[in-house]
Amino acid sequence: MRRTLSAAAIWLVLLALLAAAALLSPGFLDPAYLVNIVRQAAPVGIAAVGVTLVMILGGVDLSVGAIISFAAVLCAVQMEGRVENIPFALATTLAASVAIGLFNGIVIAFNRVSPFILTLGTALAVYGLTQVYSGGTARGVVAPGFREFFNFRLGDLVPVLALTFVALAILAEAALRTTRYGRSLYLVGSNRAAAALAGLPIARLTIATYAISGLLAGVGGIALLARSGVSSTFAGRGFEFDALAAVVLGGTTFEGGRGNVAGTVAGVLVLFVAFNMVNMLGLDYNSQLIVKGVIIIAASAAYTRLNRDPG
Amino acid sequence: MIRRLPALLARTGIYWLLLLLLVLASAAIPEFRTPANLANVLTQSAPLAVLAVGQTLVITAGLIDLSVGQLAGLVVVLVCALADGSSAAAVPVVALALLLAAAVGALNGVLSNRLRIDPLILTFGMLSVLQGVIFVWTDRSIGRAPPELLWLANERLLGVPVSLVLVAAVALACGAILRRSRLGLHLAALGGSEESARRVGVPTARVRLAVFTLSGLSAGLAGILIAGRLGTGYPMAGAGYELDAIVAVVLGGTALAGGRGSIAGTLAAVLVLGIVSNALNLLQISAFVQMVAKGLIVIAAILANQPRARTRVVAA
Amino acid sequence: MERRSFLLASAASALVATLGGPARAQTDRAAQERQMNETVDTTKFKKAGPYTVGVSAGYLSNSWVVFCLQHIKYEASRHKEIQNVLVTDAAFNPTKQVADIEDLVSKNVSLILYWPVDEKAIQPALEKAVQRGIPTINTGGGFTYGPGTVSNAFIDQWLLGEMVAKHLAADMGGKGKIFAMLPIAGTTAAVDQLAALKTVLKDHPQMELLTAEHGDWNRAKAKQITENLLQRYPRIDGVFSPAGQMSIGVAEAFEEAGRLKQVIMSPGDEYNGWLKWVQKHRQGGAVTFPTRAGQEALKLGLEVLAGKPVKRGIRIPSEYIAPKDVDKYVEPNRPDDWWASTLPDEWKPS
Amino acid sequence: MEAELNQPLLEARGLGKSFGGTVALDGVDFAAFAGEVHAIAGANGAGKSTLMNIIGGVFPPSAGTLHLAGAPALFDSPRAARAAGVSVVYQELAVLPLLTVAENVHLGRSGGFSRRRLVAETEALCREWGLPLDPRAVAGELSIAGQQLIEIARALAGTTRVLVLDEPTSVLSLGERDRLFAIIAELKRRGLLVLYVTHRLEEIFAIGDRVTVLRNGRKVATLDVSATSQAELVRLMIGHDVRERFDLPPVPSAPRRIEIEGETPRGKVRLTLNSGEIVGLAGLVGSGRTRLARAIAAVDREWPMTVRIDGKPLRLRSTGDAIRHGIVYLTEDRKRDGLFRPLSIVVNASAASLGRFSRWGLLAPKPEREATEAVLRRLRLVARSLHAPVSELSGGNQQKVLFGRALLCAPRLLVCDEPTRGVDVGAKDEIYEILMDLAADGVAILLVSSETKELLALSHRLLVMRDGRIVREIVGRTDEHAVLMAATGAA
């Protein structure tokens, strides 16, 4: 009962927030605007899907912001402004993102290190690599058609980018619910030692999950590139905070073994609707940071309380 | 004794590394070994040293405090904005700032006791909150540090940086807490095993409160030094310091899992980081590469510091 | 959605941000004019070659700055007496920049060119360099007046803002509703540009400024803010946006809302991505923010080292590029994040 | 030792405690006096540890009161209990391995602090009580018995009047046990109240003055030890007698042979099991029973093992490999590495056999549910829903879920480590039935247990371990004495 409540809570929060926003500005409920919020959320949201998987496993991935930046730069450079380069650029970008995730996964799988600190270190190194690689400028020319494709509105309404985010989220949620991999994540996350006894391939799962997180962060980087073009070599900086806040808000805890992607999606949307409201109200943009911090603390505390094991 | 040898080597490793770096850098870079440059390295390292010494207590207690960097940043802005270059205001403003820093630390402690969430997440959230508070206040440098702080952070007395005195005082104080006080014993116990500590009557909640308060205080002192270094209230002055502090503590041989800490090791590690940065600068290595190097040092440090296979005897 | 730190980062990332000092009202402009025309006695800096030039970069992860640095290196290559150029990068960390400057002094460089993360934070370190006889030149950003800065090679934000505003007013026929997209609140760039805009608007009573927003030199943020403004204001006729990087984000938001035809964009700068947009849409144009500031700074520094008297500040003038003339400047095969410049090809960033 | 004149030192009046809906302790009264060893006896789940935790200040009672020397005692923390003179030595020792003995002994006290004085005081304390401890030694390098002494020293260092010992001998050798008993006798002589919590009846008769028996959260009786018998206590504790021996199913005539060969630091280990056979593995704590059991199932690989089934060697590089070959390990510690506490019963049960319930990586929920249901029904699991979290279940039912998990793997060799630890008496019997059922189905079972009675009752054959080696094989009838002789090396 409590469990169902806690799962539904974030959706109720989202609804309440939307209602409040609609009262503030009738334009808020315009379908085009709502869909646009989903598109704004896509880069962070896609990365947050990966972070959700990692956190269900009992880990955490703070390198996603760096990977997003890295992927955006790398992809743009590989395209060299030519359509025929797009497949190669996408492939190399995703491969490189997976490689970073693999690195995280392998180190964490075979050592008793804190994923939190390790992925922070990885983030630092990846930011550095991005700078070395790009010489400090977001060089790279986006191929014609690339951004147009992702921003094309199906049925004149839903941008491909928003659809990509939703599709990836549904895919991940389905994987969690219906695949052996998803089930194994919950098992390992809720009790690693027991999972080892039950014969689950923990090292392989860990590596695969961090790799997926890297991959999705890479997709997030491509999404960012598609949404706003090449703008900076630090374009994804801070996204790890946002992703983490969304995941925690969505009910996935740091202890692992709990949570789902649907909650994360709601969490991402709550964050973005809240931020847009802050913007539209003309409040100081910086209060977003305070909101984010309080959300991380409050949501963690709330879920700790809800999930406290009675036995 | 023989069983402890690897651990002993691991614990003294940082001093050997420091020695090696000193020798190498002196040999390879003529500018490095000038007294002025060596004094520079010390002055540059002082804020991190103060922060890392405080964090050593925190990590020994099995906790972690990610909010210290932004807390130091808040102190920088506060001190400069309020004092605005006035000598007369120096003492009250510094006192106020330290009080505030200790209060924020205590708030971390209270929240940690009340909400029972992982200190990592709690202080991570606090990091974001503090950053927001700073930026809501100001998004550009404001005010000026009083001249006394400039003197404290930058000047030398008989060739010795003044800030070194502050670092030494903080290190001795924390060393005394760790080695010679009941609080030190209790925080090592808390870091060893919270459950055991609680059962034998260690007042864990009070210890946690004390440790976080001390951590806040050390962040405040570091902020004072940074304010002196910068001379102005730059809103991002503390960004990233928390990670550097953790790296220094871990490099210095304090177990990330808690239970045992070394102030001297932390100081040596701070010097190692300072020398590496100074030498790379003198060698004209690009900041981008330095960033990669720093990331790799973080990764290497936690790999070297990971808990060894459990030593607890398995019953049966 | 960006974190504040990123805002500041990109803030600093446009060279203009370099002057993070207190807002100066227009009345200060007279004082600045006087200060920059002061003559500096450089005899105490005079020294014979060979020279080592130190560059203390507050940050290098920014395309304008990279071009500016290339200009410095290019100019250095043309002088035999310059033996070496040492570059340090503080990566947006002012504490590190203080340390960098101290390290450069330790290396005993002949001259320091710098652009700050935060101008005030590095003043003490710069003063120490000057006391040691090492001249310091502020490169690119706004004008700095203080004992730590021997001279400036800078770009005037107020004049730039004025030019942009005048062209916008002309393009709009002197009437309509506009909003302003500015850099980080409080920076010289934001303050001077807005002040210049308001001054120009006094001559055009039929133009109404709806709101001034701060997009922090961030294309994505400018886009997101504009998306919200499009919800708030049913009618927007023009946009004042001097930074090309943000102008692209603004224009994209209008385009996606299907309202691009109703709006007139002001000139941006010679940011390549913006020039491409101008070329495609044949409107807006550009008011330049010349990357050769670096080259001018080094020339200025060499004069100081030669002991010649120099002015406290030299202004690098902005120029207007009309939409029809943009073809000469745009480089379609180069990245968006690129600057039209006078650098020879072999000196352009790779 | 009767309460003629003096008032009780520790008295419970109507003590009750419930967690959520379950009542752990229900209206318990008892009184204990200074200078006595008062045993608290009861089967697992009788409420012993709840009572102990209330006395030790871990949590407050939800009903009733506790009185210390006539005054109400409200301990809101272990610290408060200690301050009032009540110390508890738990089975899981609260010793901090990185600190020295002296530091450990003086933990939790307030007042002045000097390391030198700590050492001096600890030294004096150890001399006074005859505790063989070096104050400067690092606690983590001591044996379990040594660490237990630290806890006792800690209790003695304060102004302790009541010392609660929780199953203190479960981790001790015989010699260590005798030393502990001597110390307890000394404590008693000096007027302390020792509350001795145990389920080992012989120890109650060895050192106890009086015994209070708990069953299902209620007090059943308080008796003078001299006036009772083991049989009576057993009857009080469990409500009925333990069966001496079960009717074991016969081992099939043409069994599958499982041969295990391995290397331990003390030499070679060899054992053979036949399908349908229950082999008991006896030995004292530290003899290597659990290590051997875990090594066989490839859980730990410090002791490399080769397993052959009908002469065919298996490659076991991981627990997964072992499970695929039908070698399944049932943990001794459900909480640590058995249960996935937040997850549902079905998910817990199918965890080790996901391969069976999935195709191309996709789970098949229906076969999973049906197979799990069938197995758990066979095990007579009591649960409101199979989709409820496993943490809601009682200890016995949790253990059944783990058996269900093992069964779903279609085991050929089941390695059971302490399968009845922490389950109540009724569930114990059911688990014995399950083991015999499995044996009847042809599963070979290696049964590790510290309860020699259980091994004797349930095994076709007994292996006795000592110092990492199998020292004795006992076929046919034997008794506890013989097993103990072999285990201690006295034989």
Side-chain angles (χ1 to χ4, degrees), chain C residues 40-48 51 110 129-136 147 149-151 301 303-307 312:
Chain C
V40 184
D41 173 20
T42 61
T43 47
K44 68 168 173 169
F45 299 120
K46 183 175 178 178
K47 58 189 99 156
Y51 300 130
S110 324
V130 171
Q131 280 160 17
R132 293 274 297 270
I134 303 174
T136 56
T149 307
V150 171
S151 186
E303 284 181 36
V304 173
L305 288 177
R312 186 63 77 191

Coordinates of all heavy atoms in Angstrom, one line a residue, chain C residues 40-48 51 110 129-136 147 149-151 301 303-307 312:
Chain C
V40 N 51.3 56.3 -20.1 CA 51.9 55.5 -19.1 C 53.4 55.6 -19.3 O 53.9 55.5 -20.4 CB 51.5 54.0 -19.2 CG1 52.1 53.2 -18.1 CG2 50.0 53.9 -19.2
D41 N 54.1 55.9 -18.2 CA 55.6 55.9 -18.2 C 56.1 54.5 -18.1 O 55.9 53.8 -17.1 CB 56.1 56.8 -17.1 CG 57.6 56.7 -17.0 OD1 58.3 56.3 -18.0 OD2 58.2 57.0 -15.9
T42 N 56.7 54.0 -19.2 CA 57.1 52.6 -19.2 C 58.6 52.4 -19.0 O 59.1 51.3 -19.2 CB 56.7 52.0 -20.6 OG1 57.4 52.7 -21.6 CG2 55.2 52.1 -20.8
T43 N 59.3 53.5 -18.7 CA 60.8 53.3 -18.6 C 61.2 52.2 -17.6 O 62.2 51.5 -17.8 CB 61.4 54.6 -18.2 OG1 60.7 55.2 -17.1 CG2 61.4 55.7 -19.3
K44 N 60.4 52.1 -16.6 CA 60.9 51.1 -15.6 C 60.6 49.6 -16.1 O 61.1 48.7 -15.5 CB 60.2 51.3 -14.2 CG 58.7 51.0 -14.2 CD 58.1 51.0 -12.8 CE 56.6 50.8 -12.8 NZ 56.1 50.6 -11.5
F45 N 59.9 49.5 -17.2 CA 59.7 48.2 -17.7 C 60.6 47.9 -18.9 O 60.6 46.8 -19.4 CB 58.2 48.0 -18.2 CG 57.2 48.2 -17.2 CD1 56.3 49.2 -17.3 CD2 57.2 47.4 -16.0 CE1 55.3 49.4 -16.3 CE2 56.2 47.6 -15.1 CZ 55.3 48.6 -15.2
K46 N 61.4 48.8 -19.2 CA 62.2 48.7 -20.4 C 63.3 47.6 -20.2 O 64.0 47.6 -19.2 CB 62.9 50.0 -20.7 CG 63.8 50.0 -22.0 CD 64.3 51.3 -22.4 CE 65.2 51.2 -23.6 NZ 65.8 52.4 -24.0
K47 N 63.3 46.7 -21.1 CA 64.4 45.7 -21.0 C 64.7 45.2 -22.4 O 63.9 45.3 -23.4 CB 64.1 44.6 -20.1 CG 62.8 43.8 -20.4 CD 62.4 42.8 -19.3 CE 61.3 43.4 -18.4 NZ 60.5 42.5 -17.7
A48 N 65.9 44.7 -22.6 CA 66.4 44.2 -23.9 C 65.9 42.8 -24.1 O 65.7 42.0 -23.1 CB 67.9 44.3 -24.0
Y51 N 62.9 38.0 -25.4 CA 61.7 38.1 -24.4 C 61.1 36.7 -24.3 O 61.0 36.0 -25.3 CB 60.7 39.1 -24.9 CG 61.2 40.5 -25.1 CD1 61.0 41.2 -26.2 CD2 61.9 41.1 -24.0 CE1 61.4 42.5 -26.4 CE2 62.3 42.4 -24.2 CZ 62.1 43.1 -25.3 OH 62.5 44.4 -25.5
S110 N 59.0 38.1 -19.4 CA 59.3 39.6 -19.6 C 58.0 40.4 -19.6 O 58.0 41.6 -19.3 CB 59.9 39.7 -21.0 OG 60.8 38.7 -21.3
A129 N 53.4 41.4 -9.8 CA 54.1 41.2 -11.0 C 54.6 42.6 -11.5 O 55.8 42.7 -11.8 CB 53.2 40.6 -12.1
V130 N 53.8 43.6 -11.4 CA 54.2 44.9 -11.8 C 55.3 45.5 -10.9 O 56.3 46.1 -11.4 CB 52.9 45.9 -11.8 CG1 53.4 47.3 -12.0 CG2 51.9 45.5 -12.8
Q131 N 55.2 45.2 -9.6 CA 56.2 45.6 -8.7 C 57.6 45.0 -9.1 O 58.6 45.5 -8.9 CB 55.9 45.3 -7.3 CG 54.9 46.3 -6.7 CD 54.2 45.7 -5.5 OE1 54.6 44.7 -4.9 NE2 53.1 46.3 -5.1
R132 N 57.5 43.7 -9.6 CA 58.7 43.0 -10.0 C 59.2 43.5 -11.3 O 60.2 42.9 -11.9 CB 58.5 41.5 -10.0 CG 58.2 40.9 -8.6 CD 59.5 40.6 -7.9 NE 60.2 39.5 -8.7 CZ 60.1 38.2 -8.5 NH1 59.2 37.8 -7.6 NH2 60.8 37.4 -9.2
G133 N 58.6 44.5 -11.9 CA 59.0 45.0 -13.2 C 58.5 44.3 -14.4 O 59.0 44.4 -15.5
I134 N 57.5 43.5 -14.2 CA 56.9 42.8 -15.3 C 55.6 43.5 -15.7 O 54.6 43.5 -14.9 CB 56.5 41.3 -14.9 CG1 57.8 40.6 -14.5 CG2 55.9 40.6 -16.1 CD1 57.6 39.2 -13.9
P135 N 55.5 44.0 -16.9 CA 54.3 44.8 -17.3 C 53.2 43.8 -17.6 O 53.4 42.7 -18.1 CB 54.8 45.5 -18.6 CG 55.9 44.7 -19.1 CD 56.6 44.1 -18.0
T136 N 52.0 44.3 -17.4 CA 50.8 43.4 -17.6 C 49.8 44.1 -18.5 O 49.6 45.3 -18.4 CB 50.1 43.2 -16.2 OG1 49.7 44.5 -15.7 CG2 50.9 42.5 -15.2
P147 N 46.5 49.6 -10.4 CA 47.9 49.5 -10.4 C 48.4 48.1 -10.9 O 49.6 48.0 -11.2 CB 48.2 49.6 -8.9 CG 47.0 49.3 -8.1 CD 45.9 49.7 -9.1
T149 N 47.4 46.7 -13.7 CA 47.2 46.7 -15.1 C 48.0 47.8 -15.8 O 47.6 49.0 -15.5 CB 45.8 46.7 -15.5 OG1 45.1 45.7 -14.8 CG2 45.6 46.5 -17.0
V150 N 49.0 47.6 -16.5 CA 49.8 48.6 -17.1 C 49.1 49.2 -18.3 O 49.0 50.5 -18.4 CB 51.2 48.1 -17.5 CG1 52.0 49.2 -18.3 CG2 52.0 47.7 -16.3
S151 N 48.5 48.4 -19.1 CA 47.7 48.9 -20.2 C 46.7 47.9 -20.7 O 46.7 46.8 -20.2 CB 48.6 49.3 -21.4 OG 47.9 49.9 -22.4
G301 N 52.3 45.4 -25.7 CA 53.3 45.0 -24.8 C 54.7 45.2 -25.2 O 55.6 45.6 -24.4
E303 N 55.8 47.5 -27.2 CA 56.1 48.9 -27.0 C 56.5 49.2 -25.6 O 57.4 50.0 -25.3 CB 55.0 49.8 -27.4 CG 54.8 49.9 -29.0 CD 53.6 50.7 -29.4 OE1 53.4 51.8 -28.7 OE2 53.0 50.4 -30.4
V304 N 55.8 48.6 -24.6 CA 56.1 48.9 -23.2 C 57.5 48.4 -22.9 O 58.3 49.0 -22.3 CB 55.1 48.2 -22.3 CG1 55.5 48.2 -20.9 CG2 53.7 48.7 -22.5
L305 N 57.8 47.2 -23.4 CA 59.2 46.6 -23.2 C 60.3 47.5 -23.8 O 61.4 47.5 -23.3 CB 59.2 45.2 -23.7 CG 58.4 44.1 -22.9 CD1 58.5 42.8 -23.6 CD2 59.0 44.0 -21.5
A306 N 59.9 48.1 -24.9 CA 60.9 49.0 -25.5 C 61.0 50.3 -24.8 O 61.9 51.2 -25.1 CB 60.5 49.3 -27.0
G307 N 60.2 50.5 -23.7 CA 60.2 51.7 -23.0 C 59.6 52.9 -23.6 O 59.7 54.1 -23.2
R312 N 47.0 54.4 -21.6 CA 46.5 53.4 -20.6 C 45.6 52.4 -21.3 O 45.6 51.2 -20.9 CB 45.8 54.2 -19.6 CG 45.3 53.3 -18.4 CD 46.4 52.7 -17.6 NE 47.1 53.7 -16.7 CZ 48.2 53.4 -16.0 NH1 48.8 52.2 -16.2 NH2 48.8 54.3 -15.2

